[in-house]
Amino acid sequence: MVRYKDLSNLISSSGITMQIKCGSGLRQFVRKASTIQNIDYANRSLKLPDGAVVFSLIQPTGKFHLGNYLGAVRVWTELSEDAPAGGKCIFGTADLHAITIPKPDGNAFRQMRHEAIASLLAVGIDPTKSILFHQSQVPEHAELCWYLSTLTSMGALNRMTQWKTKANIKDTSSEKVGAVKLGLFTYPVLQAADVLLYKSTHIPVGEDQVQQLELTRQLAQAFNSTYKTRYFREPTTLLTPTRKVLSLQNPLKKMSKSDANQNSCICVTDEPDAIRRKIRSAVTDSIGHEFKYDPEGRPGVSNLINIVAGIQKKTIAAVEADIAGFKDHATFKNYVTDILVAELRGPREEFARYMNDKSYIYEVERNGAERAGAIAAKTLAEVRAIMGY
């Protein structure tokens, strides 16, 4: 049984009503859109129904950073360890999505793809219990994307926020819109194809993916309506419990490995000395006699508290109680550092072990692609038949 500490976090921030089977009854939760997601690790659990198909992909940026770890892949590990009877867990790299931002160095991109698989293995995802593969290894993703694109309106895509964020566009009447690449603009259609290709039922993601998954549900409805079928099921969004991990140097933006200041980001593979240096230099504030969670007033301190809460799977209030006696920033930062060093020791050592055995990574990728491809081929054959091909 997967431990989820706040079932309200599993509900789409778009305000969609979803039903989740929990304990002995069926309860409904509705969550309104919010710019702040509070961590609440209450003692609750989620049991996925038998036959559930859990699916998610992650950008192959190489070694994972703390945001990837707490916001996505650790939850994947928990889900794969407690996979429902008759169900599947399908995880991998979104390496077709990755090239919406051009990757001109093929060798570097290839290395990042392998490092991403090694990172998934290092955090505990067992390839005998889950399917691990690269999206590009299964050509059916692109074919289904084309079919779904014929059902997708320009208006729906224009409302998506991700392409605007990546293209740094705030006003769609701006001349910058004309320079946006088609692949970036239609990114959500490929994401819908990724999900529907495996008849996925549950998608664990962060809040920034909620809008795209609502489009996925709309496209599933559109296909079924157009071809008078009930072929595609509408998947459920599972919002991961930990809120965004922010930059250590600028706690007003997300943590990112592409940040020019490398002290802003902690990678899962960082050595203890690097972690100590980065936490020691993390931006906090001038209040040294108490440490409280206040994202607006004290974003730097709040980010570190959020990180500790995510690692320890505790509530913010519980972390605040643990650090209530701290009287200076040095004590607080040493506390955060010790927790991080202990948590990341295992994944760091496992990552190094896997990267020293490239043949095993290739085997995992190949086997995963074969298993994913078999599912995808069956789906595409059925979709073609429905469409008249």
Side-chain angles (χ1 to χ4, degrees), residues 35-47:
T35 57
I36 299 177
Q37 177 184 359
N38 296 318
I39 299 174
D40 183 6
Y41 287 109
N43 292 321
R44 293 179 183 259
S45 60
L46 169 68
K47 185 181 186 306

Side-chain angles (χ1 to χ4, degrees), residues 157-169:
L157 291 178
N158 198 47
R159 288 189 291 273
M160 296 292 108
T161 59
Q162 192 168 55
W163 68 269
K164 299 170 192 173
T165 300
K166 289 191 174 184
N168 194 27
I169 291 175

Side-chain angles (χ1 to χ4, degrees), residues 197-228:
L197 187 59
Y198 301 97
K199 299 181 181 177
S200 311
T201 62
H202 295 79
I203 318 299
V205 293
E207 282 194 328
D208 58 347
Q209 297 295 311
V210 167
Q211 188 185 37
Q212 288 93 316
L213 284 171
E214 174 55 18
L215 179 65
T216 298
R217 284 186 278 270
Q218 292 172 6
L219 290 179
Q221 294 169 0
F223 182 91
N224 292 345
S225 175
T226 299
Y227 294 102
K228 299 177 176 57

Side-chain angles (χ1 to χ4, degrees), residues 287-308:
I287 303 172
H289 64 280
E290 65 175 358
F291 298 91
K292 296 288 187 179
Y293 186 78
D294 177 5
E296 293 185 9
R298 306 184 69 185
V301 167
S302 299
N303 188 38
L304 296 181
I305 291 175
N306 175 53
I307 288 171
V308 172

Side-chain angles (χ1 to χ4, degrees), residues 125-197:
I125 295 181
D126 185 343
T128 66
K129 296 180 180 179
S130 302
I131 295 175
L132 286 179
F133 75 113
H134 296 299
Q135 179 190 29
S136 64
Q137 292 177 299
V138 180
E140 286 84 357
H141 285 261
E143 184 174 348
L144 184 56
C145 176
W146 175 251
Y147 297 156
L148 295 178
S149 72
T150 66
L151 303 173
T152 309
S153 70
M154 292 286 285
L157 291 178
N158 198 47
R159 288 189 291 273
M160 296 292 108
T161 59
Q162 192 168 55
W163 68 269
K164 299 170 192 173
T165 300
K166 289 191 174 184
N168 194 27
I169 291 175
K170 296 180 180 179
D171 179 5
T172 53
S173 64
S174 164
E175 292 182 0
K176 290 183 179 179
V177 172
V180 173
K181 301 298 187 289
L182 179 62
L184 182 58
F185 186 66
T186 60
Y187 183 110
V189 185
L190 179 56
Q191 186 175 54
D194 298 335
V195 171
L196 297 177
L197 187 59

Side-chain angles (χ1 to χ4, degrees), residues 64-356:
F64 294 158
H65 62 62
L66 201 56
N68 304 140
Y69 179 63
L70 294 178
V73 297
R74 190 175 64 175
V75 173
W76 296 6
T77 303
E78 294 171 351
L79 287 165
S80 63
E81 288 174 349
D82 298 299
K88 300 181 185 69
C89 289
I90 305 172
F91 305 124
T93 74
D95 58 347
L96 292 178
H97 290 288
I99 61 172
T100 56
I101 304 298
K103 302 291 187 292
D105 187 339
N107 289 329
F109 185 43
R110 187 175 297 109
Q111 176 73 3
M112 288 192 293
R113 291 165 70 248
H114 296 324
E115 287 180 347
I117 294 295
S119 295
L120 291 173
L121 295 170
V123 300
I125 295 181
D126 185 343
T128 66
K129 296 180 180 179
S130 302
I131 295 175
L132 286 179
F133 75 113
H134 296 299
Q135 179 190 29
S136 64
Q137 292 177 299
V138 180
E140 286 84 357
H141 285 261
E143 184 174 348
L144 184 56
C145 176
W146 175 251
Y147 297 156
L148 295 178
S149 72
T150 66
L151 303 173
T152 309
S153 70
M154 292 286 285
L157 291 178
N158 198 47
R159 288 189 291 273
M160 296 292 108
T161 59
Q162 192 168 55
W163 68 269
K164 299 170 192 173
T165 300
K166 289 191 174 184
N168 194 27
I169 291 175
K170 296 180 180 179
D171 179 5
T172 53
S173 64
S174 164
E175 292 182 0
K176 290 183 179 179
V177 172
V180 173
K181 301 298 187 289
L182 179 62
L184 182 58
F185 186 66
T186 60
Y187 183 110
V189 185
L190 179 56
Q191 186 175 54
D194 298 335
V195 171
L196 297 177
L197 187 59
Y198 301 97
K199 299 181 181 177
S200 311
T201 62
H202 295 79
I203 318 299
V205 293
E207 282 194 328
D208 58 347
Q209 297 295 311
V210 167
Q211 188 185 37
Q212 288 93 316
L213 284 171
E214 174 55 18
L215 179 65
T216 298
R217 284 186 278 270
Q218 292 172 6
L219 290 179
Q221 294 169 0
F223 182 91
N224 292 345
S225 175
T226 299
Y227 294 102
K228 299 177 176 57
T229 181
R230 295 182 179 178
Y231 185 73
F232 284 126
R233 295 176 58 181
E234 296 176 35
T236 295
T237 301
L238 301 181
L239 284 178
T240 52
T242 301
R243 62 163 296 173
K244 290 179 184 177
V245 176
L246 305 175
S247 164
L248 297 178
Q249 295 297 311
N250 181 2
L252 299 180
K253 66 179 185 178
K254 286 176 64 174
M255 181 175 286
S256 172
K257 287 196 306 179
S258 62
D259 197 305
N261 187 341
Q262 290 302 295
N263 284 330
S264 70
C265 175
I266 289 180
C267 290
V268 173
T269 55
D270 277 350
E271 295 288 341
D273 287 346
I275 295 173
R276 289 190 186 94
R277 183 186 71 253
K278 292 176 180 181
I279 295 298
R280 188 166 55 244
S281 68
V283 171
T284 49
D285 52 44
S286 60
I287 303 172
H289 64 280
E290 65 175 358
F291 298 91
K292 296 288 187 179
Y293 186 78
D294 177 5
E296 293 185 9
R298 306 184 69 185
V301 167
S302 299
N303 188 38
L304 296 181
I305 291 175
N306 175 53
I307 288 171
V308 172
I311 289 175
Q312 295 186 331
K313 300 183 181 179
K314 288 183 175 181
T315 63
I316 292 294
V319 175
E320 287 180 322
D322 290 341
I323 62 178
F326 294 173
K327 299 300 182 183
D328 56 64
H329 285 87
T331 302
F332 174 53
K333 288 184 174 182
N334 287 339
Y335 177 75
V336 176
T337 296
D338 290 344
I339 289 170
L340 279 169
V341 168
E343 175 74 12
L344 300 181
R345 179 179 296 112
R348 182 183 69 252
E349 293 173 352
E350 286 295 286
F351 177 84
R353 183 170 70 85
Y354 286 119
M355 287 303 294
N356 286 328

